[in-house]
Amino acid sequence: MIIYAQEKLIDTLGEIIPAAKEASLAIYKSADFVQPRYAVYLMVEHAGNLRLFTARLNGELVGYCAVIVDTSIHKESEILATSSSFYIRKDSSDILRALKFFRYIKQQLKNEGVNEWALTTTTDVDISPLFKRLGAELYETVHRLKLG
């Protein structure tokens, strides 16, 4: 049985780093393509704005989702959660497990008073169908222009 929890990055960094490398390798075919700035994540956590949700099977990390929570920059009365990174180990990544994990996160954020959760996905691994099953609606499209 998978156990979902909210944990501290500072306490789980030794597990998160290899998981992030595994996710980078699976998606981008390079363990070093994505290079998270963990010191910045830890500063955000220290400021009280990082939520790290984990999924564990028999105590072993099989998934995580890092979410940044803060007052919306556009509307002071709203508390906005923005997903920063998400991972579910390949052998644990069926849609129902992912959906259960995201439903757990959604409930925890609601319990905390979050009004809106911005969920992002890449075109490389588009998990929009999962977000739709959660009840999320397409809100905006982001384009990236490389400048160098």
Side-chain angles (χ1 to χ4, degrees), residues 1-5 53-58 60-65 86-106 117 127 130-131 133-134:
M1 180 173 153
I2 294 183
I3 305 294
Y4 305 112
F53 298 98
T54 59
R56 293 183 178 277
L57 180 61
N58 299 322
E60 184 181 352
L61 185 73
V62 295
Y64 69 82
C65 182
F86 167 73
Y87 162 81
I88 290 188
R89 196 171 70 193
K90 191 169 183 141
D91 62 344
S92 300
S93 64
D94 68 76
I95 189 79
L96 292 178
R97 281 190 180 169
L99 189 58
K100 284 181 184 178
F101 187 33
F102 270 88
R103 283 184 176 148
Y104 167 80
I105 297 165
K106 178 182 172 182
W117 183 12
I127 58 171
L130 173 69
F131 297 158
R133 288 186 70 173
L134 274 174

Side-chain angles (χ1 to χ4, degrees), residues 32-43:
D32 295 319
F33 184 83
V34 176
Q35 297 180 356
R37 296 175 53 210
Y38 293 109
V40 175
Y41 274 102
L42 291 169
M43 286 190 308

Side-chain angles (χ1 to χ4, degrees), residues 5 13 31 40 42 64 76 81 94 100 109-111 122 124 143:
L13 204 52
V40 175
L42 291 169
Y64 69 82
E76 192 173 355
D94 68 76
K100 284 181 184 178
L109 293 172
K110 281 177 75 172
N111 291 348
T122 65
D124 294 319
H143 296 267

Side-chain angles (χ1 to χ4, degrees), residues 112-142:
E112 193 176 322
V114 171
N115 306 95
E116 192 171 305
W117 183 12
L119 299 156
T120 58
T121 187
T122 65
T123 54
D124 294 319
V125 181
D126 186 359
I127 58 171
S128 296
L130 173 69
F131 297 158
K132 288 178 185 172
R133 288 186 70 173
L134 274 174
E137 299 173 358
L138 185 61
Y139 177 69
E140 65 183 25
T141 303
V142 176

